[in-house]
Amino acid sequence: MPERYDVEAIRADYPILSRMIGGYPLAYLDSANTAQRPKPVIDAVADFAFNHNANVARAMHTLGVEATAAYEGARAKVAGFIGAASPREVVFTKNASEALNLAANTLGASLKPGDEVVISVMEHHSNIVPWQMVCERAGAKLRWFDVTDDYHLDLAKAEAENLINEHTKVVSLAWVSNVLGTVNPVAEIAGQAQAVGAVMVVDGAQGVPQRPTDVATLGADMLAFTGHKLGAPTGVGVLWGRYALLESLPPFLGGGEMIEIVRMESSSYAAPPARFEAGTPPIMQAVGLGAAIDYMTGLGMDGIAAHEKELTSYALQRLGAIDGVRILGPQSYDDRGGAIAFTIDGVHPHDIMQMLDARGVAVRGGHHCARPLHERFGITASTRASIGVYTVEREIDQLADAVVWTRDFFAGKGR
Amino acid sequence: MDVTQMYQDIILDHYREKHHAGLREPFDAEVHHVNPSCGDELTLRVKADDGSVQDVSYEGDGCSISQASTSILADLVIGRSVEDTLALYDDFRTMMESGGVGTPDEDRLEDAIAFQGVAMFPGRVKCAMLAWSALRDALMRSGAVSNLGPDRSDDE
């Protein structure tokens, strides 16, 4: 990395991290769920609200011009951050789920019976359910990659099943799994999809905050992600799409600012991205996303990725050494994301979450919106710790100690 | 509030050794209830055709709170009149909605009194209520009681 990654200095930008929870220092290990917000983001949002707030595009006065510049400026920052050819390829949505619904509904409009859509068992529900809905509506067939026992997409089985074939119209996959941390070979699969004329959609909700993103390298035709996992406020997400593809698609939601001319009989639609942004957009949130991108870029995405690798390796080592703990997902940091799902023998994830919370450790317990994946491994839920740009080793130590305490408490020891 | 006060010995004992577990015949109604946020699932059967709860059997997967609550429920209501079972449901729900500050009747709630500490953790009240909501639903479906309307603990 270009400069030393000074995690203690970074933590000073996050006042929430100095909170005490139940007498313990907060160890926030739930960044895959939502990341904390650095002070520059909070300040940018406050400055917009205090000094520049107005609607965008339709407000022509001075504040409207300033708000529009801030909103469109955020769009340009997003475009630069992911290597888009133009800001016009960036559509703001409310979150990654809405971005995926937008992709599914607009691509799904041309699906016909006999067409196929391919997803995988390791997807978040937001990359499963929208495709189920559009496939059912169109009479198209939904197919999926299975996951191997060592937590990767089962490419051999997919090949044997001829999963991606001349009927495939869309392939939609997570770049980085929100449960397993597995990094999928998106570029390779995108090549297969595009070779049969299918559109490659990538769910970047976990990948974009964790590693440098370049849509061309990724091989995607569309990329969905959300702002709040990058340190932006909730309420803003992004769908990036190749411009020629976006231009060929029908609108998703109808309303103000997505039209060209409205007559009572019919309307013509604006060009992308406006075509997909009906109604007043999340202006202040987008400004926050722009500030978050500036902040992340300032830290350096290479540095963030290296930091995450170091902390994830440490967490895998600490948790892996505890008797009774089973880690779901690749066991070593061999191209792996920062989500670490695990189980403790004899203790339900819901109880683990509660016990860890009592020791100041914030993790997520449940199926993490990936029930089919848990079913694949014969469980209904797991506990997930995840790494953020501000995570430090002492928080991993706090987690490991609390896991041992939890295990022993439920085993009847230490009570 | 110390989390270990929530995990009373009674709860942990029932979690480790569930009473009346497994799905049995005969039954008048079977329901499947889930807690979508955390994935707790419960299939519950009830036999109640002579004004009393003759059997409750179940199969479930979930946290210690939801599992122990199901086990204790079965202990408490098997052999009880349907009318008093519904009254006990109300008493249990009142305790769970109290935020842990009420003075529930220990003689009436028996082992279920152990969940008073859970009432101090709002995120876990649904876990404790899962079996009771399922039982209420099953009693309605079995025809043992007329439609009681929607369950308040499902309102969110």
Side-chain angles (χ1 to χ4, degrees), chain A residues 66-121:
Chain A
E66 289 174 8
T68 303
Y71 182 67
E72 294 304 326
R75 194 190 305 280
K77 285 175 186 177
V78 171
F81 188 62
I82 60 171
S86 154
R88 295 187 307 156
E89 296 186 332
V90 173
V91 179
F92 283 124
T93 63
K94 137 180 113 178
N95 47 36
S97 292
E98 189 184 279
L100 288 164
N101 275 273
L102 199 171
N105 280 274
T106 56
L107 292 167
S110 57
L111 285 177
K112 290 182 287 297
D115 288 345
E116 296 181 0
V117 171
V118 173
I119 56 173
S120 88
V121 168

Coordinates of all heavy atoms in Angstrom, one line a residue, chain A residues 66-121:
Chain A
E66 N -27.4 23.9 -6.8 CA -26.3 23.3 -5.9 C -26.6 21.8 -5.5 O -25.7 21.0 -5.5 CB -26.2 24.1 -4.6 CG -25.6 25.5 -4.8 CD -25.7 26.4 -3.6 OE1 -26.0 25.9 -2.5 OE2 -25.3 27.6 -3.7
A67 N -27.9 21.6 -5.2 CA -28.3 20.2 -4.9 C -28.1 19.3 -6.1 O -27.6 18.1 -5.9 CB -29.8 20.1 -4.4
T68 N -28.4 19.7 -7.3 CA -28.2 18.9 -8.5 C -26.7 18.6 -8.7 O -26.3 17.5 -9.0 CB -28.8 19.6 -9.7 OG1 -30.2 19.9 -9.4 CG2 -28.7 18.8 -10.9
A69 N -25.9 19.7 -8.5 CA -24.5 19.5 -8.7 C -23.9 18.5 -7.6 O -23.1 17.7 -8.0 CB -23.8 20.8 -8.5
A70 N -24.4 18.6 -6.4 CA -24.0 17.6 -5.4 C -24.4 16.2 -5.7 O -23.6 15.2 -5.6 CB -24.5 18.0 -4.0
Y71 N -25.6 16.1 -6.2 CA -26.2 14.7 -6.5 C -25.4 14.1 -7.7 O -25.0 13.0 -7.7 CB -27.7 14.9 -6.8 CG -28.4 13.6 -7.1 CD1 -28.5 12.6 -6.1 CD2 -29.0 13.4 -8.3 CE1 -29.2 11.4 -6.4 CE2 -29.7 12.2 -8.6 CZ -29.8 11.2 -7.7 OH -30.5 10.1 -7.9
E72 N -25.3 14.9 -8.7 CA -24.6 14.5 -9.9 C -23.1 14.3 -9.7 O -22.5 13.4 -10.3 CB -24.9 15.4 -11.1 CG -26.3 15.4 -11.6 CD -26.9 14.1 -12.0 OE1 -26.1 13.2 -12.5 OE2 -28.1 13.8 -11.7
G73 N -22.6 15.1 -8.8 CA -21.2 14.9 -8.4 C -21.0 13.6 -7.7 O -20.0 12.9 -8.0
A74 N -22.0 13.2 -6.9 CA -21.9 11.9 -6.3 C -21.9 10.8 -7.3 O -21.2 9.7 -7.2 CB -23.0 11.7 -5.3
R75 N -22.7 10.9 -8.3 CA -22.8 9.9 -9.4 C -21.5 9.8 -10.1 O -21.0 8.7 -10.4 CB -23.9 10.4 -10.4 CG -24.3 9.3 -11.4 CD -25.2 9.8 -12.5 NE -26.4 10.5 -12.1 CZ -27.5 10.0 -11.8 NH1 -27.6 8.6 -11.7 NH2 -28.6 10.7 -11.4
A76 N -20.8 10.9 -10.3 CA -19.5 10.9 -11.0 C -18.5 10.2 -10.1 O -17.6 9.4 -10.6 CB -19.1 12.3 -11.3
K77 N -18.6 10.4 -8.8 CA -17.7 9.7 -7.8 C -17.9 8.2 -7.9 O -16.9 7.5 -7.8 CB -17.8 10.3 -6.4 CG -17.3 11.7 -6.2 CD -17.6 12.2 -4.8 CE -17.1 13.7 -4.7 NZ -17.4 14.3 -3.5
V78 N -19.1 7.8 -7.9 CA -19.4 6.4 -8.0 C -18.8 5.8 -9.2 O -18.2 4.8 -9.2 CB -20.9 6.1 -7.9 CG1 -21.2 4.7 -8.2 CG2 -21.5 6.5 -6.5
A79 N -19.0 6.5 -10.3 CA -18.5 6.0 -11.6 C -17.0 5.8 -11.6 O -16.5 4.8 -12.0 CB -18.9 7.0 -12.7
G80 N -16.3 6.8 -11.0 CA -14.9 6.7 -10.9 C -14.4 5.6 -10.0 O -13.5 4.9 -10.3
F81 N -15.2 5.4 -9.0 CA -14.8 4.4 -7.9 C -14.9 3.0 -8.5 O -14.1 2.1 -8.1 CB -15.8 4.6 -6.8 CG -15.5 3.7 -5.6 CD1 -14.3 3.9 -4.9 CD2 -16.4 2.8 -5.1 CE1 -14.0 3.2 -3.7 CE2 -16.1 2.1 -3.9 CZ -15.0 2.3 -3.3
I82 N -15.8 2.7 -9.4 CA -16.0 1.4 -10.0 C -15.5 1.2 -11.4 O -15.6 0.2 -12.0 CB -17.4 0.9 -9.9 CG1 -18.3 1.8 -10.7 CG2 -17.9 0.8 -8.4 CD1 -19.8 1.3 -10.8
G83 N -14.9 2.3 -11.9 CA -14.3 2.2 -13.3 C -15.4 2.2 -14.4 O -15.2 1.6 -15.4
A84 N -16.5 2.9 -14.1 CA -17.5 2.9 -15.2 C -17.0 3.8 -16.3 O -16.2 4.8 -16.1 CB -18.8 3.5 -14.5
A85 N -17.6 3.6 -17.5 CA -17.2 4.4 -18.7 C -17.7 5.8 -18.5 O -17.1 6.7 -19.1 CB -17.7 3.7 -19.9
S86 N -18.8 6.0 -17.8 CA -19.5 7.3 -17.7 C -20.4 7.3 -16.5 O -21.0 6.3 -16.2 CB -20.3 7.6 -19.0 OG -21.3 8.5 -18.8
P87 N -20.6 8.5 -15.9 CA -21.6 8.6 -14.8 C -23.0 8.2 -15.3 O -23.8 7.9 -14.5 CB -21.5 10.1 -14.5 CG -20.2 10.6 -14.9 CD -19.8 9.8 -16.1
R88 N -23.2 8.3 -16.6 CA -24.6 8.0 -17.1 C -24.9 6.5 -17.0 O -26.0 6.0 -17.2 CB -24.7 8.4 -18.6 CG -24.6 9.9 -18.9 CD -24.9 10.2 -20.3 NE -24.1 9.4 -21.2 CZ -24.4 9.1 -22.5 NH1 -25.5 9.5 -23.0 NH2 -23.5 8.3 -23.2
E89 N -23.8 5.7 -16.6 CA -24.0 4.3 -16.4 C -24.4 4.0 -15.0 O -24.7 2.8 -14.6 CB -22.8 3.5 -16.7 CG -22.4 3.6 -18.2 CD -21.2 2.7 -18.6 OE1 -20.4 2.4 -17.7 OE2 -21.1 2.3 -19.8
V90 N -24.5 5.0 -14.1 CA -24.7 4.8 -12.7 C -26.2 5.2 -12.4 O -26.6 6.4 -12.5 CB -23.8 5.6 -11.9 CG1 -24.1 5.6 -10.4 CG2 -22.3 5.1 -12.1
V91 N -27.0 4.2 -11.9 CA -28.4 4.5 -11.5 C -28.4 4.4 -10.0 O -28.0 3.5 -9.4 CB -29.3 3.4 -12.1 CG1 -30.7 3.7 -11.6 CG2 -29.2 3.4 -13.6
F92 N -28.9 5.5 -9.4 CA -29.1 5.4 -7.9 C -30.4 4.7 -7.6 O -31.5 5.0 -8.2 CB -29.1 6.9 -7.3 CG -27.8 7.5 -7.2 CD1 -27.5 8.7 -7.8 CD2 -26.8 6.8 -6.5 CE1 -26.2 9.3 -7.7 CE2 -25.5 7.4 -6.4 CZ -25.2 8.6 -7.0
T93 N -30.4 3.9 -6.6 CA -31.6 3.2 -6.1 C -31.6 3.4 -4.6 O -30.8 4.2 -4.1 CB -31.4 1.6 -6.4 OG1 -30.3 1.1 -5.7 CG2 -31.2 1.4 -7.9
K94 N -32.5 2.6 -3.9 CA -32.6 2.8 -2.5 C -31.6 1.9 -1.8 O -31.2 2.2 -0.7 CB -34.1 2.6 -2.1 CG -34.4 1.8 -1.0 CD -36.0 1.8 -0.8 CE -36.4 0.3 -1.1 NZ -37.8 0.1 -0.9
N95 N -31.3 0.8 -2.3 CA -30.3 -0.2 -1.7 C -29.9 -1.2 -2.8 O -30.4 -1.1 -3.9 CB -31.0 -0.8 -0.5 CG -32.4 -1.3 -0.7 OD1 -32.7 -1.8 -1.8 ND2 -33.2 -1.3 0.3
A96 N -29.1 -2.2 -2.4 CA -28.7 -3.2 -3.3 C -29.9 -4.1 -3.7 O -30.0 -4.5 -4.9 CB -27.6 -4.1 -2.7
S97 N -30.8 -4.3 -2.8 CA -32.0 -5.1 -3.1 C -32.8 -4.5 -4.2 O -33.3 -5.1 -5.2 CB -32.9 -5.3 -1.9 OG -32.3 -6.1 -0.9
E98 N -33.0 -3.1 -4.1 CA -33.8 -2.5 -5.2 C -33.0 -2.5 -6.5 O -33.6 -2.6 -7.6 CB -34.1 -1.0 -4.8 CG -35.1 -0.4 -5.8 CD -35.4 1.1 -5.5 OE1 -36.2 1.4 -4.7 OE2 -34.7 1.9 -6.2
A99 N -31.7 -2.4 -6.4 CA -30.9 -2.4 -7.6 C -31.1 -3.8 -8.3 O -31.2 -3.9 -9.6 CB -29.4 -2.2 -7.3
L100 N -31.1 -4.9 -7.5 CA -31.3 -6.2 -8.1 C -32.7 -6.4 -8.6 O -32.9 -7.0 -9.7 CB -30.9 -7.3 -7.1 CG -29.4 -7.4 -6.8 CD1 -29.1 -8.2 -5.5 CD2 -28.7 -8.0 -8.0
N101 N -33.7 -5.8 -7.9 CA -35.0 -5.9 -8.4 C -35.2 -5.1 -9.7 O -35.9 -5.5 -10.6 CB -36.0 -5.3 -7.4 CG -36.4 -6.4 -6.4 OD1 -37.4 -7.1 -6.6 ND2 -35.7 -6.5 -5.3
L102 N -34.5 -4.0 -9.8 CA -34.5 -3.2 -11.1 C -33.9 -4.0 -12.2 O -34.5 -4.1 -13.3 CB -33.6 -1.9 -10.8 CG -33.8 -0.7 -11.8 CD1 -33.0 0.5 -11.2 CD2 -33.4 -1.0 -13.2
A103 N -32.8 -4.6 -11.9 CA -32.1 -5.5 -13.0 C -33.1 -6.6 -13.4 O -33.3 -6.9 -14.6 CB -30.8 -6.1 -12.4
A104 N -33.7 -7.3 -12.4 CA -34.5 -8.5 -12.7 C -35.8 -8.1 -13.4 O -36.1 -8.7 -14.4 CB -34.9 -9.2 -11.3
N105 N -36.4 -7.0 -13.0 CA -37.6 -6.6 -13.7 C -37.4 -6.0 -15.1 O -38.2 -6.3 -16.0 CB -38.4 -5.6 -12.8 CG -39.1 -6.3 -11.7 OD1 -40.3 -6.7 -11.9 ND2 -38.5 -6.4 -10.6
T106 N -36.3 -5.3 -15.3 CA -36.1 -4.7 -16.7 C -35.6 -5.8 -17.6 O -36.0 -5.9 -18.7 CB -35.1 -3.5 -16.6 OG1 -33.9 -3.9 -16.0 CG2 -35.7 -2.4 -15.8
L107 N -34.6 -6.7 -17.1 CA -34.1 -7.8 -18.0 C -35.2 -8.8 -18.1 O -35.4 -9.4 -19.2 CB -32.9 -8.4 -17.3 CG -31.6 -7.6 -17.3 CD1 -30.6 -8.2 -16.4 CD2 -31.1 -7.4 -18.7
G108 N -36.0 -9.0 -17.1 CA -37.1 -10.0 -17.1 C -38.2 -9.6 -18.0 O -39.0 -10.5 -18.4
A109 N -38.3 -8.4 -18.4 CA -39.4 -8.0 -19.3 C -39.4 -8.7 -20.6 O -40.4 -8.9 -21.3 CB -39.4 -6.4 -19.5
S110 N -38.2 -9.1 -21.1 CA -38.1 -9.8 -22.4 C -38.0 -11.3 -22.2 O -37.8 -12.0 -23.2 CB -37.0 -9.2 -23.2 OG -35.8 -9.4 -22.5
L111 N -38.1 -11.8 -21.0 CA -38.0 -13.3 -20.8 C -39.2 -14.0 -21.4 O -40.3 -13.5 -21.3 CB -37.8 -13.6 -19.4 CG -36.5 -13.4 -18.7 CD1 -36.6 -13.7 -17.2 CD2 -35.4 -14.2 -19.3
K112 N -39.0 -15.1 -22.0 CA -40.1 -15.9 -22.6 C -40.0 -17.3 -22.1 O -39.0 -17.8 -21.6 CB -39.9 -15.9 -24.1 CG -40.2 -14.6 -24.8 CD -40.1 -14.6 -26.3 CE -38.7 -14.7 -26.8 NZ -37.8 -13.6 -26.5
P113 N -41.1 -18.1 -22.2 CA -41.1 -19.5 -21.8 C -39.9 -20.2 -22.5 O -39.8 -20.0 -23.7 CB -42.5 -20.0 -22.2 CG -43.3 -18.8 -22.2 CD -42.5 -17.7 -22.6
G114 N -39.2 -21.0 -21.7 CA -38.1 -21.7 -22.3 C -36.8 -21.0 -22.0 O -35.7 -21.7 -22.1
D115 N -36.8 -19.7 -21.7 CA -35.6 -19.0 -21.4 C -35.2 -19.5 -20.0 O -36.0 -19.9 -19.2 CB -35.8 -17.5 -21.3 CG -36.0 -16.9 -22.7 OD1 -35.7 -17.6 -23.7 OD2 -36.5 -15.8 -22.8
E116 N -33.9 -19.3 -19.7 CA -33.3 -19.7 -18.4 C -32.5 -18.5 -17.7 O -31.9 -17.7 -18.4 CB -32.4 -20.9 -18.5 CG -33.2 -22.1 -19.0 CD -32.3 -23.4 -19.2 OE1 -31.1 -23.3 -18.9 OE2 -32.9 -24.4 -19.6
V117 N -32.7 -18.5 -16.4 CA -31.9 -17.5 -15.6 C -31.1 -18.4 -14.6 O -31.6 -19.3 -14.0 CB -32.9 -16.6 -14.8 CG1 -32.1 -15.7 -13.8 CG2 -33.6 -15.7 -15.8
V118 N -29.8 -18.0 -14.4 CA -29.0 -18.8 -13.6 C -28.5 -18.0 -12.4 O -28.0 -16.9 -12.5 CB -27.7 -19.3 -14.4 CG1 -26.7 -20.0 -13.4 CG2 -28.2 -20.3 -15.5
I119 N -28.7 -18.5 -11.2 CA -28.2 -17.9 -9.9 C -27.4 -19.0 -9.2 O -26.9 -19.9 -9.8 CB -29.3 -17.3 -9.1 CG1 -30.3 -18.4 -8.7 CG2 -30.0 -16.1 -9.8 CD1 -31.4 -17.9 -7.7
S120 N -27.2 -18.8 -7.9 CA -26.5 -19.9 -7.1 C -27.1 -20.1 -5.8 O -27.8 -19.2 -5.3 CB -25.0 -19.5 -7.0 OG -24.8 -18.8 -5.8
V121 N -26.7 -21.2 -5.1 CA -27.3 -21.5 -3.8 C -26.7 -20.6 -2.8 O -27.2 -20.4 -1.7 CB -26.9 -23.0 -3.5 CG1 -27.2 -23.3 -2.0 CG2 -27.8 -23.9 -4.4

